[in-house]
């Protein structure tokens, strides 16, 4: 079953919304995918970004804010049975596909740290750790990535086009003390960035790799151009800039 949001108020279910789009908008105006005609709801209140089998909630700078599981929230990685509150309305997130995602959030997370003080402004990451054994072998324990793997796995039967399957995508660092370091994008979904500052998701799809903005006032850039709100397909040797870090995306043959 496709992940969905169930809209209710005072315990009464009003409507169900399957998350079939990459970006589902929530707001008072009728052009929103989930339109809630109430003055407590901003015109464009929030959005849910869905990539593969994972969904991210983002408050779009609404006047009255949003609450997830009882806590005021700006950004949130949605898990099964999470409850979003907007004014008097509740949106319950349901996703019954445990074979693809679990409560462990992400398959792999790369946290890009701010430059260390002794580095030049355009250089480097802070020293972090490798927390999981799923990191690509070319990354050593001193590499300034923080990699966290979860239990989530995409079923082996998931269709992947032969062209994408035959080529392994790689991210190579272009600045700082780790110049030249590489990380193979071996998972179908990888997030990278600095939480609270700038976060993006790299998704492997049947027809290629895409980068999607998830968190932060500024969008990631590809070849010097902002990617905007919509998913952006990456091409061989594209240059990505995220959280002050430059890296090259390329395909191994």
């Amino acid at each position: 079953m496709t992940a969905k949001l169930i809209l209710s108020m005072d315990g009464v279910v009003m409507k169900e919304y399957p998350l079939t789009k990459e970006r589902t908008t929530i707001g008072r105006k009728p052009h929103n995918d989930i339109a809630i005609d109430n003055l407590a709801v901003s015109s464009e209140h929030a959005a849910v970004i869905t990539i593969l089998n994972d969904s991210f909630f983002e408050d779009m700078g609404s006047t009255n804010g949003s609450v997830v599981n009882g806590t005021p929230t700006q950004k949130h990685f949605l898990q099964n049975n999470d409850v979003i509150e907007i004014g008097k309305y509740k949106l319950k997130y349901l996703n019954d596909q445990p074979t693809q995602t679990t409560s462990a959030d992400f398959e792999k997370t790369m946290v890009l740290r701010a430059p260390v003080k002794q580095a030049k402004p355009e250089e480097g990451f802070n020293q972090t750790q490798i927390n999981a054994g799923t990191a690509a072998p070319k990354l050593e324990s001193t590499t300034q990535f923080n990699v966290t793997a979860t239990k989530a796995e995409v079923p082996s039967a998931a269709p992947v086009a032969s062209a994408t399957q035959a080529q392994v995508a790689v991210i190579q660092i272009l600045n700082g003390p780790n110049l030249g370091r590489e990380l193979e994008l071996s998972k179908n979904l990888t997030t990278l960035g600095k939480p609270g500052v700038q976060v993006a998701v790299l998704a492997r799809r049947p027809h290629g790799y895409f980068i999607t903005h998830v968190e932060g006032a500024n969008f990631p850039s590809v070849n010097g151009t902002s990617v905007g709100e919509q998913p952006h397909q990456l091409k061989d040797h594209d240059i990505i800039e995220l959280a002050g870090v430059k890296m090259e995306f390329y395909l191994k043959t």
Side-chain angles (χ1 to χ4, degrees):
M1 183 187 75
T2 302
K4 62 184 178 181
L5 291 172
I6 299 178
L7 177 65
S8 66
M9 185 177 70
D10 297 329
V12 178
V13 174
M14 302 171 68
K15 193 171 182 179
E16 293 187 4
Y17 297 90
L19 296 175
T20 56
K21 298 175 61 178
E22 290 178 341
R23 189 176 185 87
T24 300
T25 58
I26 306 167
R28 189 177 71 253
K29 296 296 184 181
H31 69 264
N32 287 284
D33 299 302
I34 301 177
I36 304 175
D37 188 13
N38 186 280
L39 292 177
V41 181
S42 295
S43 299
E44 296 179 352
H45 196 103
V48 173
I49 300 166
T50 300
I51 302 172
L52 299 176
N53 193 43
D54 296 303
S55 297
F56 305 82
F57 172 81
E58 176 183 4
D59 186 283
M60 303 298 292
S62 65
T63 301
N64 296 316
S66 303
V67 173
V68 178
N69 300 331
T71 302
T73 301
Q74 183 70 24
K75 315 279 184 179
H76 183 75
F77 181 87
L78 290 169
Q79 300 179 54
N80 191 36
N81 291 319
D82 278 351
V83 177
I84 304 164
E85 295 182 53
I86 298 178
K88 295 182 179 180
Y89 295 83
K90 292 184 179 181
L91 286 162
K92 187 172 184 178
Y93 174 76
L94 294 179
N95 185 346
D96 67 348
Q97 299 185 48
T99 55
Q100 291 189 347
T101 56
T102 69
S103 60
D105 289 1
F106 300 97
E107 290 180 11
K108 181 183 290 185
T109 301
M110 295 183 293
V111 180
L112 311 182
R113 303 295 184 181
V116 293
K117 291 183 180 180
Q118 61 267 32
K120 294 180 181 180
E122 71 276 12
E123 290 183 344
F125 305 93
N126 279 339
Q127 184 175 3
T128 56
Q129 301 175 340
I130 293 294
N131 292 332
T134 56
K138 290 189 177 181
L139 287 177
E140 301 174 1
S141 60
T142 55
T143 302
Q144 283 128 356
F145 278 105
N146 185 352
V147 181
T148 304
T150 75
K151 299 178 182 178
E153 293 291 343
V154 175
S156 57
V160 178
S162 57
T164 301
Q165 192 174 32
Q167 292 183 306
V168 178
V170 175
I171 289 291
Q172 183 179 53
I173 303 172
L174 298 181
N175 60 350
N178 288 304
L179 177 67
R181 298 276 184 166
E182 297 180 348
L183 177 72
E184 291 185 358
L185 302 177
S186 58
K187 299 294 185 179
N188 277 21
L189 184 66
T190 301
T191 63
L192 64 158
K194 184 178 180 182
V197 177
Q198 196 174 34
V199 176
V201 174
L202 292 179
R204 181 177 64 184
R205 303 181 184 177
H207 50 292
Y209 288 80
F210 289 75
I211 183 171
T212 302
H213 171 76
V214 173
E215 178 179 349
N218 298 318
F219 297 109
S221 67
V222 175
N223 301 326
T225 302
S226 171
V227 300
E229 294 183 348
Q230 300 303 316
H232 178 89
Q233 185 168 12
L234 292 170
K235 298 178 181 178
D236 198 18
H237 299 297
D238 274 351
I239 303 300
I240 302 168
E241 186 166 359
L242 176 69
V245 177
K246 289 184 179 180
M247 60 201 88
E248 180 180 2
F249 169 89
Y250 70 93
L251 297 171
K252 275 188 171 182
T253 56

